[in-house]
């Protein structure tokens, strides 16, 4: 009898330990107390210069939408999220890339890009806002800067020190463009670690919530991405395809809402007439 009670006690204790471990297992916990700055990276002024240079290179390879109704809508949406982000001092610029791939990315110094294919894939403004919030999260988390730093460290961008010097000195020259080109087309700038992706999701979720959006939009967006990767993976742009599986991202978001943002998925803005108008213009 005694040993049965004892055994039961041990099992109950083990159960408690397992449950405690599960409860503590929140992938977002490590991001909660992080403070953000350019310390250890390029200065903000240099980051902006490099971002502008990368943009010049992107312009050579991509066509940007010029329809002012679309661009000003995406910009207003982006600025609303920026004002509720942890890096609202920076000047952000949002560009719509005329490309059917379902893709979005951020580079350096406030430059954010959304493909028309992604806008077409969304059904509500909150869903689109969740993607833009995620991209702003990469800028807040200095993830592009981290990639520049890593590339520099491992010498995969041998010229970066010289180029950074050229950027600093305000020189114009082929090697700045070469650096920007290496960063973009070598895939080094926008390919982040899985943890960086989780952090961008985490930051984006809070931007979404503080901007008054229904946070369910983010979960729905991951469900859309999951669907597309199951049925038409070739539609996914290279950047989104390299992110953690959409199923995991949806689960992380759902867990966070349940634990910390209860009710935020049943209230707030879902969509708008402007969003519907933009969608119609893209058709
Ligand atoms: Zn990302």
């Amino acid at each position: 009898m005694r040993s049965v009670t004892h055994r039961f006690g041990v099992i109950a204790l083990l159960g408690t330990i397992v449950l405690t471990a599960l409860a503590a297992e929140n992938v977002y916990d490590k991001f909660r107390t992080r403070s953000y700055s350019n310390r250890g990276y390029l200065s903000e002024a240099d980051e902006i210069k490099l971002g502008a240079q990368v943009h010049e290179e992107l312009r050579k390879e991509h066509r940007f939408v010029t329809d002012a109704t679309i661009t000003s809508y995406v910009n207003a949406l982006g600025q609303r999220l920026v004002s509720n982000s942890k890096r609202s001092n920076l000047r952000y610029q949002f560009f719509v890339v005329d490309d059917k791939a379902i893709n979005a990315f951020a580079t350096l110094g406030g430059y954010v890009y959304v493909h028309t294919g992604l806008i077409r894939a969304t059904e509500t403004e909150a869903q689109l806002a969740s993607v833009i919030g995620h991209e702003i999260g990469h800028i807040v988390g200095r993830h592009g800067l981290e990639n520049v730093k890593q590339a520099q460290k491992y010498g995969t961008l041998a010229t970066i020190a010289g180029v950074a010097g050229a950027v600093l000195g305000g020189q114009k020259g082929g090697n700045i463009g070469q650096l920007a080109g290496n960063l973009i087309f070598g895939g080094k700038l926008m390919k982040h670690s899985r943890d960086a992706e989780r952090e961008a999701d985490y930051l984006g979720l809070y931007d979404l919530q503080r901007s008054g959006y229904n946070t369910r939009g983010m979960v729905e967006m991951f469900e859309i991405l999951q669907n597309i990767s199951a049925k038409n993976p070739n539609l996914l742009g290279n950047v989104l395809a390299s992110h953690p599986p959409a199923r995991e991202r949806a689960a992380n978001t759902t867990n966070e809402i349940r634990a910390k943002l209860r009710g935020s998925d049943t209230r707030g803005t879902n969509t708008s007439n402007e969003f519907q108008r933009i969608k119609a213009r893209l058709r």
Side-chain angles (χ1 to χ4, degrees):
M1 194 62 194
R2 197 174 168 171
S3 81
V4 170
T5 315
H6 179 72
R7 203 175 297 158
F8 180 76
V10 169
I11 291 166
L13 180 66
L14 283 174
T16 310
I17 291 168
V18 169
L19 282 177
T20 310
L22 282 174
E25 181 74 35
N26 182 320
V27 292
Y28 290 163
D29 280 349
K30 69 180 91 168
F31 310 130
R32 295 188 201 286
T33 53
R34 225 191 120 179
S35 63
Y36 297 97
S37 80
N38 279 46
R39 191 189 299 257
Y41 298 115
L42 287 177
S43 72
E44 188 162 286
D46 290 339
E47 181 193 353
I48 293 166
K49 280 180 195 164
L50 196 49
Q53 197 61 48
V54 166
H55 181 71
E56 286 312 305
E57 293 302 309
L58 285 169
R59 273 161 58 101
K60 294 177 190 166
E61 299 289 321
H62 298 281
R63 201 169 58 225
F64 294 125
V65 170
T66 53
D67 181 336
T69 309
I70 295 171
T71 57
S72 58
Y73 168 78
V74 171
N75 184 58
L77 177 52
Q79 299 303 340
R80 177 173 169 185
L81 291 159
V82 162
S83 65
N84 290 296
S85 79
K86 289 186 171 176
R87 198 180 179 187
S88 55
N89 63 306
L90 190 66
R91 190 172 80 93
Y92 287 71
Q93 297 180 75
F94 297 89
F95 299 92
V96 180
V97 182
D98 190 2
D99 188 322
K100 66 180 187 324
I102 295 164
N103 218 8
F105 59 95
T107 61
L108 299 160
Y111 287 82
V112 178
Y113 304 83
V114 184
H115 285 206
T116 49
L118 184 126
I119 302 175
R120 281 200 194 94
T122 60
E123 294 153 356
T124 69
E125 182 169 303
Q127 292 167 7
L128 177 58
S130 79
V131 174
I132 297 176
H134 170 95
E135 297 310 330
I136 294 167
H138 281 311
I139 303 266
V140 173
R142 272 69 172 181
H143 298 154
L145 283 173
E146 176 64 26
N147 290 346
V148 170
K149 188 176 170 177
Q150 292 303 322
Q152 190 176 5
K153 194 154 106 189
Y154 294 107
T156 43
L157 286 173
T159 58
I160 192 164
V163 171
V167 171
L168 279 165
Q171 293 168 30
K172 290 225 183 285
N175 62 338
I176 300 177
Q178 198 188 335
L179 163 73
N182 278 343
L183 284 170
I184 302 161
F185 305 113
K188 293 182 183 77
L189 189 56
M190 284 87 90
K191 194 159 185 189
H192 308 295
S193 70
R194 295 253 155 148
D195 245 10
E197 295 302 344
R198 291 183 189 108
E199 185 173 32
D201 282 346
Y202 167 76
L203 292 168
L205 175 63
Y206 280 88
D207 293 354
L208 195 67
Q209 184 255 337
R210 284 189 293 257
S211 300
Y213 285 105
N214 186 322
T215 55
R216 173 79 201 152
M218 185 174 254
V219 180
E220 290 166 358
M221 190 67 227
F222 295 139
E223 288 166 355
I224 291 172
L225 292 176
Q226 195 185 325
N227 241 325
I228 294 165
S229 59
K231 289 177 189 156
N232 288 309
N234 54 319
L235 285 180
L236 282 185
N238 58 340
V239 177
L240 274 179
S242 69
H243 282 54
R247 193 191 299 273
E248 185 215 302
R249 301 174 74 192
N252 291 345
T253 309
T254 304
N255 289 342
E256 184 68 6
I257 293 169
R258 215 172 275 159
K260 306 277 182 186
L261 296 168
R262 198 170 274 271
S264 68
D265 54 345
T266 57
R267 54 174 181 259
T269 307
N270 269 316
T271 199
S272 68
N273 292 335
E274 288 84 355
F275 175 81
Q276 300 305 340
R277 220 169 289 147
I278 294 307
K279 288 270 293 188
R281 278 181 101 88
L282 284 173
R283 247 171 241 135

